[in-house]
Each structure stands twice: as C-alpha cells, then as structure tokens.
Amino acid sequence: MTTAAIISTAVFLISLGLIFSEKLHRTIIGFAGAVLMVGVGRWLGFYSESQAIAAIDFETIGLLAGMMILVSLLEPTGFFQFLAVWAGRLSKGRPVYLLVMLGSVTTIISMFLDNVTTVVMIAPVTILICEVLGINPMPYLIAEALLSDTGGAATLIGDPPNILIGSAAGLTFMDFILKSLPIVLVSWLTALLLLRILFRRELSTRPKNIKAILKLNPQEALDDGVTARRVLIVLGVAILFFFFSHYLAVSPAFIAIAAAAAAMIWVRPNVKDTLMRIEWSVLIFFAGLFVIVGGLNAAGVFDVLVQALAGLHIEQPLLFSILLIWVVAGLSAIVDNVPITIAMIPVIQGLGSTGMNITPLWWALVFGAGFGGNGTIIGSSANIIVACLSEKTRTPITTRLWSKSGLPVMLATCTVASILFAITYSWLSR
Amino acid sequence: MKIETCMKRNVVFIPFDTTIGDAAQMMVKRHIGILPVVDENNKPVGVVSMRDLLTLELPDFIELIEDLDFVHDFGAVETTRPGKKKLSEPVSTIMQPVKAIEEDGGLLRGYALMIQNDLYDLPVINKSGKLVGVVSRVDIGTTLLSNWSTVVQK
C-alpha cells in the first residue's frame, strides 16, 4: 500500500470512529473530514479540489433536496397529524389495531417521503393518542421507528442508502418495486408479527377511555387543506414519473427537483421559511462523505481492496451476497448506514470490474443497510428521534429496552431477507 | 411608589423539606397560587407555583403539540393523578429558582419582572434578604391604575 492509501484510509477510519462515538455532530465530522482529505490529497498529490467536487454525487443530493422541499411544504399543513389522528380513530382504540394502523401509516408515508420528518410529525400525535386512551406509548413509538425503517428499504426514494445505491448502480424506481418491495413486504410483516409478540403484555391492556379517541377530529388537525392537497397532487405526479423514469430517460433527481419547483409555483410559500426547513445538515453530511470516499478512491484504496477480494476467488456468490447483507447490517447498526453505503459502493463496483455479476450484491447492500439500522437505538435517525421524544414522557425508551425489541426485529428481518434472497437469487441477479 | 405599599404581609411560606403533597394541600387550604420556599434563616430559596404542581398532572403531549384544537376530550388524562411516590418527594425537586423583589423596589420594575419572567406573583424581600411579603400582578396593577384617576381630574 502507498502512503496516500494509508493516510487516506486513516482519515476515513477516524471520521467513521468519530461518527460512532457521537462526540461531535456527524455533519461537522463529514465536513471537516472532507476538508482534511482534500488537504492531505493536495499535500501528497493524490487528490485535487476539482476531483473532490467531481466525487460528489449530485444525483443523490438533487433527489434528496427536491424531496426535502416537497416535505417542507407539506410539514406545516398538519397533513401528518391528520393521518395519525385518522389512523388512531380507525383503530377504535384497540391496542393491536392501533399498532398496525400507526405502523402502516408511518411506513407508507416514509416509503415516499423522508422518514425522519414522518416520525417527527407522527410520534407526538402517537403520544397524544396513547395518553388520551390511558396506555403506554412506548411500544407504538418503537414500532413506528422500526417499521418505517424496514419499509423504507422498499423504494428508490424510501431511504438515503437506496438513493445512493440506485444512483451508483443505475437501478430504477421500477427495479426497486419489482425486486426490493416483495422481500421488504414479507420482512415488514415479520417485524410487525414479532412486535406483536414482544409487546403482547402492553398490547393486552384495555385502554381506560376509548370514547375520547373517537372525539379527536382529524379535519381539525389539518391546518391548511388547500396547500396539503396541492403538494400531494404534485407528489403523486412525481411518483408516477418515478415509475416511468426509465422509459422517459430522465433522472429521479430531475423529477424531484422539477416537482419541488412545480409545488413552489403552485403553493407560493414563504421561500425563506420553506428553504429553512430543508435539512441542510443531511445534505452537507452527504457531500462531505462523498468527498472523503472520493479521496479513498483517488488514493487507490479500493483497488487494493478489490485485488484482495479477487484473490479470494468467490466461488459461492450467493453465500457471499448473504454474508454481505449481515456484514452491512451489523455495521449499520453501530454506525450510520449512509457512510457504510457510500464506502461499500466503490468496493462493489470494483468487484464488478473483476468480472463478477454484482447486481445481486446491490440488493444485498439495500437490505443490509435498510434493516441493520433497527438493531440499536443509534442505528437510525428515526430511532434516535422516538427515543428523544419518549424522554419527554413518563415512560422513556432506554437502550436496554431497544435491545429487547429492535435487535430481535433486526435479526428477524435480516434472516427473512436472507432466506428470500436465496430463493429469488436468480431473479435478483438479472 | 414602592412595592411595600401594596404587598401582602401575611405571607404563607413553606420550609424546603415540605413534601409536594403537603404543599398542594397548603394551597388548597389557603386558596393561594404561590408558595415561597425558605431556608432556616427565612430566606427564600425557591418558589412553588400552582403551575409547577399541576404540571405533574398535565399530559406529556401538551409540550409536544402546538395546536390542541382537535382534541375535544382529554380522555384518560382527565383522571390521572401524580403517584404516591411523587407526592412524598420534597418540594425542592420541583421548585423554581426564586425571582424576588426588594420591598423598596419600584412598582413598574416589579410589574416588568413579572411580565418578562411570565410570573403572576413575586416574593418580596428586605435588605437582609429575608422574606417579608408577596405581591401579585393585581396588587401592583390596581395600585398603578388608581393613579390614573388623578390624571383625569386635573
């Protein structure tokens, strides 16, 4: 290995370690790590500013930014609260139904919109519904985070790793619907069933006051129905375009940005407020990671890695893929799944250059990154959010509690995904 | 005009080791909304307001949801009470830091303190820092407004 490779690997590993330690905000680490990588790159002559800019995948950033604008228009309308109240009423206060309804609503929205925003909006209403009913909100909050993370793996725009993988591997929205969705659906149902069993005691307590939930009025929770309808129409059209993006030969990023522009023209929001709600910290984190991993690439780290992997003579690609699911899931449980995905992409691409069929490996990465985050309380942003919100209640979610529910769900969904992966291997390899 | 002209002198206060439950019953018995908490030297060390006590009964969601118009029935929350364990804790666990005014302080200064800190009553202390009274927004406000009649008469 060259000095450049060793030093760039050190920068990457230190950044990853700092993200894991949570001593600093991950965006600061991504940002400073990128600067450091370009700095050493210039010093040792393996990485330039223009290479760093080129390493940023604007396809991913564009898709994220476009969807974030749509969400930031939808956020203040009360649409999310409306859905949560509606779901709560429909359950008629029966705990198991409530779990299924809230879990499903959160999952379906987060298959198309940012699941952090979805959870941020729906979790407070969940606490409200549970308190009005006189039951413990903890199982419902945990279920919302776990189910929405699991469901997010189903679509191209469901969670950030998918956007990254779709962009790098050229997988379309339709590819995800045909190949990922069925496996995710079965895994999701497994997760739901497991949660039902794990929380059987909490879910068997009869709510003290069922009538009160029927007096919650979803229409009143919707503050601005006109704007909500407009944004949803634009979103619906955008999703249609996502379906056919392959035939239309337009990129998902262009569709998302175009939808954001159309929605802003139609809604005429306060531009400053709308743009303030965009999660810039996420976008900068992504850009920083792209620059860091671009540095690894320029230093030839991935070439060394791929040569080592090629020397292994992978004779059992199926077993290798399933191993990849578990390795990525394990890593995603302890570190953010975004840096893991960004770092895995060049490795898989490198394996492709050795002549291996890497199509199934992309799907392994999707499932590993998607389901791994469930394992720990810090595994995904949604988990952190419900844990933080629950700290404001009388029944906070602890790390110990999470390992009793999240970890089994992660193991179960990864097992189911592995089995289905093996069964559908030839289909996934196409 | 000074605070001492309009404050109430027969102030009800509690020592800092009073339990939350006893403080609540004291408020009920005396029909008051604020209890200064004092140390052995009669110096205020904190304040327990009705709000601090009732927060123990209020649901968690009121902190999380801005607009509660759509919640027509608080359901089970209406009948929740703080637990026995909570009620036997000393008031020092829930009391707020004391914001007091000196007895020779000005009325407008007192009123401004209340508005800025979102308070309805202020403990009044003397030069040596001992509790000597309590003054409410209404006490200060009516005293200030009574001066307006002289303006009209002129």
Side-chain angles (χ1 to χ4, degrees):
Chain A
M1 266 181 54
T2 60
T3 321
I6 293 167
I7 291 186
S8 61
T9 307
V11 172
F12 174 70
L13 290 179
I14 290 169
S15 308
L16 216 57
L18 282 172
I19 293 172
F20 172 65
S21 76
E22 298 190 339
K23 288 248 179 352
L24 262 173
H25 192 283
R26 58 182 191 152
T27 301
I28 301 176
I29 301 165
F31 197 63
V35 171
L36 188 60
M37 187 63 93
V38 177
V40 296
R42 283 297 308 270
W43 177 45
L44 296 172
F46 69 87
Y47 200 35
S48 68
E49 285 100 326
S50 55
Q51 276 176 293
I53 300 283
I56 299 175
D57 181 12
F58 284 99
E59 179 67 39
T60 297
I61 304 272
L63 182 47
L64 280 170
M67 296 309 286
M68 280 175 183
I69 292 175
L70 286 181
V71 168
S72 75
L73 290 171
L74 202 53
E75 223 180 279
T77 64
F79 170 71
F80 295 95
Q81 286 89 334
F82 166 85
L83 277 181
V85 172
W86 173 78
R89 268 183 67 111
L90 222 61
S91 76
K92 297 209 172 70
R94 283 167 296 188
V96 176
Y97 286 79
L98 186 64
L99 186 87
V100 174
M101 286 304 298
L102 286 173
S104 308
V105 163
T106 317
T107 303
I108 292 169
I109 306 177
S110 57
M111 279 165 74
F112 301 102
L113 297 174
D114 172 40
N115 81 334
V116 170
T117 313
T118 312
V119 170
V120 164
M121 293 289 163
I122 291 195
V125 187
T126 304
I127 294 173
L128 180 143
I129 290 172
C130 290
E131 289 192 322
V132 164
L133 282 171
I135 52 179
N136 184 350
M138 178 271 291
Y140 305 90
L141 294 175
I142 292 182
E144 280 169 9
L146 293 178
L147 293 174
S148 72
D149 275 340
T150 307
T155 65
L156 172 69
I157 53 172
D159 68 9
N162 289 6
I163 299 178
L164 290 164
I165 298 164
S167 166
L171 299 172
T172 64
F173 195 83
M174 212 52 162
D175 288 330
F176 273 88
I177 298 292
L178 292 175
K179 291 177 175 163
S180 181
L181 181 67
I183 293 182
V184 171
L185 196 66
V186 181
S187 308
W188 187 88
L189 288 170
T190 310
L192 183 65
L193 193 70
L194 188 58
L195 287 167
R196 166 79 181 92
I197 297 167
L198 291 169
F199 291 123
R200 60 189 175 282
R201 219 182 43 214
E202 287 86 349
L203 294 175
S204 63
T205 30
R206 217 182 118 74
K208 288 178 207 145
N209 199 326
I210 288 178
K211 271 186 213 147
I213 198 173
L214 300 174
K215 288 190 192 156
L216 293 172
N217 186 345
Q219 286 299 333
E220 285 174 349
L222 189 63
D223 292 325
D224 184 354
V226 178
T227 302
R229 196 158 54 232
R230 287 176 182 175
V231 179
L232 288 172
I233 290 170
V234 172
L235 183 65
V237 174
I239 290 172
L240 267 181
F241 272 93
F242 282 135
F243 266 104
F244 300 110
S245 61
H246 186 59
Y247 304 104
L248 298 167
V250 284
S251 70
F254 180 72
I255 298 171
I257 300 263
M264 286 210 279
I265 290 170
W266 201 6
V267 173
R268 306 280 170 89
N270 179 322
V271 174
K272 208 174 157 200
D273 289 350
T274 305
L275 296 183
M276 278 234 295
R277 277 193 294 271
I278 291 183
E279 288 177 63
W280 295 106
S281 65
V282 173
L283 297 181
I284 291 170
F285 177 59
F286 270 73
L289 286 174
F290 281 129
V291 172
I292 294 176
V293 173
L296 287 180
N297 207 356
V301 174
F302 292 114
D303 299 335
V304 176
L305 210 62
V306 168
Q307 269 167 14
L309 284 170
L312 287 177
H313 291 295
I314 300 158
E315 277 164 11
Q316 299 205 299
L318 171 59
L319 222 61
F320 181 77
S321 306
I322 290 176
L323 187 69
L324 185 68
I325 296 181
W326 287 88
V327 169
V328 172
L331 289 172
S332 303
I334 49 174
V335 197
D336 199 309
N337 59 8
V338 171
I340 300 298
T341 308
I342 293 182
M344 285 308 289
I345 284 171
V347 176
I348 295 180
Q349 282 169 335
L351 284 170
S353 66
T354 66
M356 188 180 173
N357 177 14
I358 52 169
T359 316
L361 296 182
W362 292 125
W363 296 113
L365 186 56
V366 166
F367 299 129
F371 299 159
N374 285 335
T376 59
I377 208 161
I378 54 157
S380 84
S381 310
N383 299 1
I384 297 171
I385 284 162
V386 296
C388 286
L389 273 175
S390 81
E391 270 165 25
K392 293 182 184 164
T393 74
R394 291 163 175 85
T395 48
I397 297 169
T398 57
T399 312
R400 224 179 114 226
L401 195 62
W402 201 278
S403 59
K404 279 189 196 164
S405 53
L407 193 60
V409 166
M410 168 191 156
L411 297 175
T413 48
C414 285
T415 306
V416 170
S418 303
I419 294 168
L420 292 175
F421 189 91
I423 296 171
T424 58
Y425 185 68
S426 59
W427 165 242
L428 292 175
S429 306
R430 271 188 231 168
Chain B
M1 260 202 278
K2 303 274 171 68
I3 287 289
E4 58 189 354
T5 59
C6 63
M7 72 183 190
K8 289 183 273 285
R9 286 178 191 276
N10 61 338
V11 47
V12 183
F13 56 87
I14 49 175
F16 61 89
D17 55 357
T18 312
T19 65
I20 294 175
D22 288 345
Q25 288 321 304
M26 179 83 87
M27 277 193 190
V28 176
K29 208 167 97 193
R30 308 294 289 262
H31 205 74
I32 47 174
I34 176 194
L35 283 169
V37 182
V38 297
D39 64 8
E40 309 85 44
N41 303 319
N42 223 14
K43 287 187 179 164
V45 289
V47 168
V48 176
S49 71
M50 181 150 297
R51 184 182 172 153
D52 300 326
L53 291 175
L54 284 177
T55 299
L56 301 175
E57 188 167 315
L58 278 175
D60 305 312
F61 65 76
I62 62 153
E63 296 274 324
L64 302 172
I65 295 173
E66 251 173 62
D67 184 1
L68 288 170
D69 284 355
F70 66 95
V71 193
H72 294 276
D73 184 347
F74 273 29
V77 179
E78 291 285 358
T79 51
T80 50
R81 305 281 174 266
K84 194 172 173 184
K85 187 167 161 269
K86 190 80 209 174
L87 291 185
S88 44
E89 283 176 14
V91 284
S92 51
T93 58
I94 59 159
M95 69 188 188
Q96 301 297 317
V98 61
K99 202 68 154 170
I101 186 159
E102 308 75 31
E103 55 186 341
D104 58 351
L107 289 185
L108 274 181
R109 185 171 116 72
Y111 194 70
L113 264 180
M114 287 175 171
I115 291 191
Q116 288 204 322
N117 296 287
D118 197 22
L119 300 168
Y120 285 82
D121 305 273
L122 281 180
V124 184
I125 50 175
N126 63 14
K127 285 241 155 44
S128 53
K130 287 190 176 161
L131 184 69
V132 290
V134 164
V135 68
S136 73
R137 278 198 195 187
V138 177
D139 295 334
I140 297 183
T142 48
T143 314
L144 286 170
L145 291 181
S146 66
N147 299 332
W148 290 14
S149 60
T150 57
V151 179
V152 178
Q153 280 160 15
K154 271 179 191 169

